C-alpha cells in the first residue's frame, strides 16, 4: 500500500519482487512454477533467482531517468550484499531504506483482510482500505495470506530482517516509520 503511494507521489518505478513472482505464476512461466513452490509454503524464493530478476529490471533504461523503489527486496543479508554489487555495477545508489514497523497482531489483521484487484493488481483491505466499488468477483485473496502461511512468513521476515537493518544502519540509510497507524499517517511520516 505504501509503496504504491510513494511511487505515485514521486514518479518512481515500482519494483516489487512479490508482484513479479505473482505475474510469473499467473503466466505459468518457468520462473512462476519455481516461485510458486516456495511462496505457497511461506518460504523465500532462492536468492540467486530473486537477485537475477531484480538485476535484470534495474538494468533497464527507465531506471536512471525516473528512479526506483524496491518493495519486498532485499529480504536476506545475502540479497542486500548482491544488491550493493548490482547498484555499483550499474552506477546507481540508494537514498533511503524505509523500515515500516508493524506489530504482528496488527499485521495478521491486515493480511487476512487483504484483497487484490484481478486486473490492476492494486491492493486493498476489506475494512481499512476498501475499494470505492466492491464486486467480490473482481478481487482475489492471496493464497499466502492464509493464517498458517502468514505465521511462517512473519517468522521468516523477522529472522532475516534484523541483519539487513544493521547493514543499512551502518551507512545511515534507515528511516524507521511506525506502521501501526492509519494509511495516510504512515504515508505522511
Ligand atoms: P510479497 O508480495 O512481497 O509479500 O512477496 C510474496 C512472496 O514472494 C514472499 O512470501 C516470498 O515467498 C516471495 N518473495 C517476494 N520477495 C522476495 C525476496 N526478496 N526474496 C525471496 N522471496 C521473495
Amino acid at each position: 500500500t505504501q509503496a504504491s503511494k510513494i511511487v505515485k507521489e514521486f514518479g518512481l518505478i515500482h519494483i516489487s519482487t512479490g508482484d513479479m513472482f505473482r505475474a510469473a505464476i499467473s503466466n505459468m512461466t518457468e520462473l512462476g512454477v519455481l516461485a510458486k513452490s516456495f511462496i505457497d509454503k511461506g518460504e523465500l524464493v532462492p536468492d540467486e533467482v530473486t537477485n537475477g530478476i531484480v538485476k535484470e529490471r534495474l538494468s533497464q533504461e527507465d531506471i536512471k531517468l525516473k528512479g526506483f523503489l524496491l518493495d519486498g527486496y532485499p529480504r536476506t543479508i545475502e540479497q542486500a550484499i548482491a544488491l550493493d554489487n548490482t547498484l555499483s555495477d550499474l552506477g546507481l545508489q540508494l537514498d533511503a531504506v524505509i523500515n515500516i514497523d508493524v506489530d504482528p497482531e496488527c499485521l495478521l489483521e491486515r493480511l487476512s483482510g487483504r484483497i487484490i484487484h484481478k486486473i490492476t493488481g492494486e491492493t486493498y483491505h476489506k475494512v481499512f482500505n476498501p475499494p470505492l466499488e466492491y464486486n467480490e468477483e473482481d478481487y482475489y485473496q492471496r493464497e499466502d495470506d492464509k493464517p498458517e502461511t502468514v505465521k511462517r512468513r512473519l517468522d521468516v521476515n523477522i529472522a532475516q530482517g534484523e541483519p539487513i537493518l544493521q547493514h543499512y544502519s551502518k551507512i545511515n540509510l534507515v528511516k524507521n516509520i511506525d506502521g501501526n497507524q492509519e494509511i495516510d499517517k504512515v504515508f505522511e511520516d
Side-chain angles (χ1 to χ4, degrees), residues 75-88:
R75 264 201 178 71
T76 63
I77 188 68
E78 291 78 13
Q79 289 180 11
I81 291 162
L83 176 62
D84 288 346
N85 293 326
T86 294
L87 293 174
S88 92

PDB file of all heavy atoms in Angstrom, residues 75-88:
ATOM      1  N   ARG A  75      15.423  -9.102   1.125  1.00  0.00           N
ATOM      2  CA  ARG A  75      14.794  -9.770   2.262  1.00  0.00           C
ATOM      3  C   ARG A  75      15.776 -10.656   3.021  1.00  0.00           C
ATOM      4  O   ARG A  75      15.401 -11.263   4.028  1.00  0.00           O
ATOM      5  CB  ARG A  75      13.643 -10.630   1.765  1.00  0.00           C
ATOM      6  CG  ARG A  75      12.255  -9.958   1.856  1.00  0.00           C
ATOM      7  CD  ARG A  75      11.286 -11.084   1.832  1.00  0.00           C
ATOM      8  NE  ARG A  75       9.883 -10.898   1.943  1.00  0.00           N
ATOM      9  CZ  ARG A  75       9.037 -10.387   1.076  1.00  0.00           C
ATOM     10  NH1 ARG A  75       9.460  -9.809  -0.004  1.00  0.00           N
ATOM     11  NH2 ARG A  75       7.747 -10.438   1.283  1.00  0.00           N
ATOM     12  N   THR A  76      17.006 -10.793   2.533  1.00  0.00           N
ATOM     13  CA  THR A  76      18.050 -11.527   3.269  1.00  0.00           C
ATOM     14  C   THR A  76      19.319 -10.682   3.182  1.00  0.00           C
ATOM     15  O   THR A  76      19.443  -9.833   2.294  1.00  0.00           O
ATOM     16  CB  THR A  76      18.364 -12.909   2.638  1.00  0.00           C
ATOM     17  OG1 THR A  76      18.888 -12.698   1.316  1.00  0.00           O
ATOM     18  CG2 THR A  76      17.134 -13.794   2.560  1.00  0.00           C
ATOM     19  N   ILE A  77      20.244 -10.936   4.104  1.00  0.00           N
ATOM     20  CA  ILE A  77      21.501 -10.176   4.070  1.00  0.00           C
ATOM     21  C   ILE A  77      22.262 -10.493   2.775  1.00  0.00           C
ATOM     22  O   ILE A  77      22.903  -9.613   2.194  1.00  0.00           O
ATOM     23  CB  ILE A  77      22.350 -10.417   5.354  1.00  0.00           C
ATOM     24  CG1 ILE A  77      23.559  -9.477   5.384  1.00  0.00           C
ATOM     25  CG2 ILE A  77      22.775 -11.861   5.514  1.00  0.00           C
ATOM     26  CD1 ILE A  77      23.234  -8.024   5.558  1.00  0.00           C
ATOM     27  N   GLU A  78      22.149 -11.729   2.303  1.00  0.00           N
ATOM     28  CA  GLU A  78      22.817 -12.095   1.040  1.00  0.00           C
ATOM     29  C   GLU A  78      22.243 -11.275  -0.127  1.00  0.00           C
ATOM     30  O   GLU A  78      22.986 -10.856  -1.014  1.00  0.00           O
ATOM     31  CB  GLU A  78      22.652 -13.596   0.738  1.00  0.00           C
ATOM     32  CG  GLU A  78      23.419 -14.526   1.683  1.00  0.00           C
ATOM     33  CD  GLU A  78      22.751 -14.729   3.047  1.00  0.00           C
ATOM     34  OE1 GLU A  78      21.562 -14.361   3.208  1.00  0.00           O
ATOM     35  OE2 GLU A  78      23.429 -15.238   3.963  1.00  0.00           O
ATOM     36  N   GLN A  79      20.937 -11.051  -0.103  1.00  0.00           N
ATOM     37  CA  GLN A  79      20.325 -10.209  -1.150  1.00  0.00           C
ATOM     38  C   GLN A  79      20.822  -8.770  -1.029  1.00  0.00           C
ATOM     39  O   GLN A  79      21.038  -8.096  -2.041  1.00  0.00           O
ATOM     40  CB  GLN A  79      18.795 -10.231  -1.055  1.00  0.00           C
ATOM     41  CG  GLN A  79      18.173 -11.559  -1.469  1.00  0.00           C
ATOM     42  CD  GLN A  79      16.652 -11.554  -1.369  1.00  0.00           C
ATOM     43  OE1 GLN A  79      16.012 -10.519  -1.179  1.00  0.00           O
ATOM     44  NE2 GLN A  79      16.056 -12.733  -1.497  1.00  0.00           N
ATOM     45  N   ALA A  80      20.986  -8.291   0.203  1.00  0.00           N
ATOM     46  CA  ALA A  80      21.457  -6.916   0.395  1.00  0.00           C
ATOM     47  C   ALA A  80      22.864  -6.754  -0.180  1.00  0.00           C
ATOM     48  O   ALA A  80      23.157  -5.746  -0.839  1.00  0.00           O
ATOM     49  CB  ALA A  80      21.430  -6.552   1.883  1.00  0.00           C
ATOM     50  N   ILE A  81      23.697  -7.754   0.020  1.00  0.00           N
ATOM     51  CA  ILE A  81      25.068  -7.685  -0.497  1.00  0.00           C
ATOM     52  C   ILE A  81      25.070  -7.778  -2.028  1.00  0.00           C
ATOM     53  O   ILE A  81      25.764  -7.027  -2.710  1.00  0.00           O
ATOM     54  CB  ILE A  81      25.943  -8.771   0.177  1.00  0.00           C
ATOM     55  CG1 ILE A  81      26.119  -8.395   1.657  1.00  0.00           C
ATOM     56  CG2 ILE A  81      27.300  -8.911  -0.510  1.00  0.00           C
ATOM     57  CD1 ILE A  81      26.575  -9.519   2.550  1.00  0.00           C
ATOM     58  N   ALA A  82      24.227  -8.663  -2.565  1.00  0.00           N
ATOM     59  CA  ALA A  82      24.104  -8.758  -4.029  1.00  0.00           C
ATOM     60  C   ALA A  82      23.596  -7.431  -4.598  1.00  0.00           C
ATOM     61  O   ALA A  82      24.064  -6.973  -5.649  1.00  0.00           O
ATOM     62  CB  ALA A  82      23.153  -9.895  -4.407  1.00  0.00           C
ATOM     63  N   LEU A  83      22.657  -6.804  -3.884  1.00  0.00           N
ATOM     64  CA  LEU A  83      22.118  -5.523  -4.347  1.00  0.00           C
ATOM     65  C   LEU A  83      23.207  -4.447  -4.360  1.00  0.00           C
ATOM     66  O   LEU A  83      23.308  -3.672  -5.313  1.00  0.00           O
ATOM     67  CB  LEU A  83      20.944  -5.087  -3.463  1.00  0.00           C
ATOM     68  CG  LEU A  83      20.353  -3.702  -3.779  1.00  0.00           C
ATOM     69  CD1 LEU A  83      19.772  -3.657  -5.194  1.00  0.00           C
ATOM     70  CD2 LEU A  83      19.292  -3.315  -2.753  1.00  0.00           C
ATOM     71  N   ASP A  84      24.022  -4.411  -3.315  1.00  0.00           N
ATOM     72  CA  ASP A  84      25.136  -3.444  -3.282  1.00  0.00           C
ATOM     73  C   ASP A  84      25.978  -3.586  -4.543  1.00  0.00           C
ATOM     74  O   ASP A  84      26.334  -2.591  -5.183  1.00  0.00           O
ATOM     75  CB  ASP A  84      26.047  -3.693  -2.066  1.00  0.00           C
ATOM     76  CG  ASP A  84      25.386  -3.284  -0.746  1.00  0.00           C
ATOM     77  OD1 ASP A  84      24.357  -2.581  -0.791  1.00  0.00           O
ATOM     78  OD2 ASP A  84      25.910  -3.668   0.321  1.00  0.00           O
ATOM     79  N   ASN A  85      26.304  -4.828  -4.899  1.00  0.00           N
ATOM     80  CA  ASN A  85      27.144  -5.067  -6.076  1.00  0.00           C
ATOM     81  C   ASN A  85      26.437  -4.666  -7.361  1.00  0.00           C
ATOM     82  O   ASN A  85      27.031  -4.033  -8.233  1.00  0.00           O
ATOM     83  CB  ASN A  85      27.566  -6.542  -6.147  1.00  0.00           C
ATOM     84  CG  ASN A  85      28.500  -6.900  -5.002  1.00  0.00           C
ATOM     85  OD1 ASN A  85      29.301  -6.071  -4.563  1.00  0.00           O
ATOM     86  ND2 ASN A  85      28.385  -8.115  -4.490  1.00  0.00           N
ATOM     87  N   THR A  86      25.159  -5.032  -7.464  1.00  0.00           N
ATOM     88  CA  THR A  86      24.381  -4.672  -8.657  1.00  0.00           C
ATOM     89  C   THR A  86      24.327  -3.159  -8.828  1.00  0.00           C
ATOM     90  O   THR A  86      24.556  -2.631  -9.918  1.00  0.00           O
ATOM     91  CB  THR A  86      22.945  -5.241  -8.534  1.00  0.00           C
ATOM     92  OG1 THR A  86      23.024  -6.653  -8.553  1.00  0.00           O
ATOM     93  CG2 THR A  86      22.047  -4.778  -9.654  1.00  0.00           C
ATOM     94  N   LEU A  87      24.053  -2.458  -7.736  1.00  0.00           N
ATOM     95  CA  LEU A  87      23.940  -0.998  -7.822  1.00  0.00           C
ATOM     96  C   LEU A  87      25.271  -0.402  -8.247  1.00  0.00           C
ATOM     97  O   LEU A  87      25.318   0.493  -9.100  1.00  0.00           O
ATOM     98  CB  LEU A  87      23.481  -0.414  -6.482  1.00  0.00           C
ATOM     99  CG  LEU A  87      22.054  -0.784  -6.052  1.00  0.00           C
ATOM    100  CD1 LEU A  87      21.766  -0.278  -4.639  1.00  0.00           C
ATOM    101  CD2 LEU A  87      21.018  -0.237  -7.033  1.00  0.00           C
ATOM    102  N   SER A  88      26.373  -0.899  -7.675  1.00  0.00           N
ATOM    103  CA  SER A  88      27.647  -0.286  -8.052  1.00  0.00           C
ATOM    104  C   SER A  88      28.016  -0.635  -9.501  1.00  0.00           C
ATOM    105  O   SER A  88      28.527   0.216 -10.219  1.00  0.00           O
ATOM    106  CB  SER A  88      28.748  -0.570  -7.011  1.00  0.00           C
ATOM    107  OG  SER A  88      29.454  -1.714  -7.348  1.00  0.00           O
TER     108      SER A  88
END
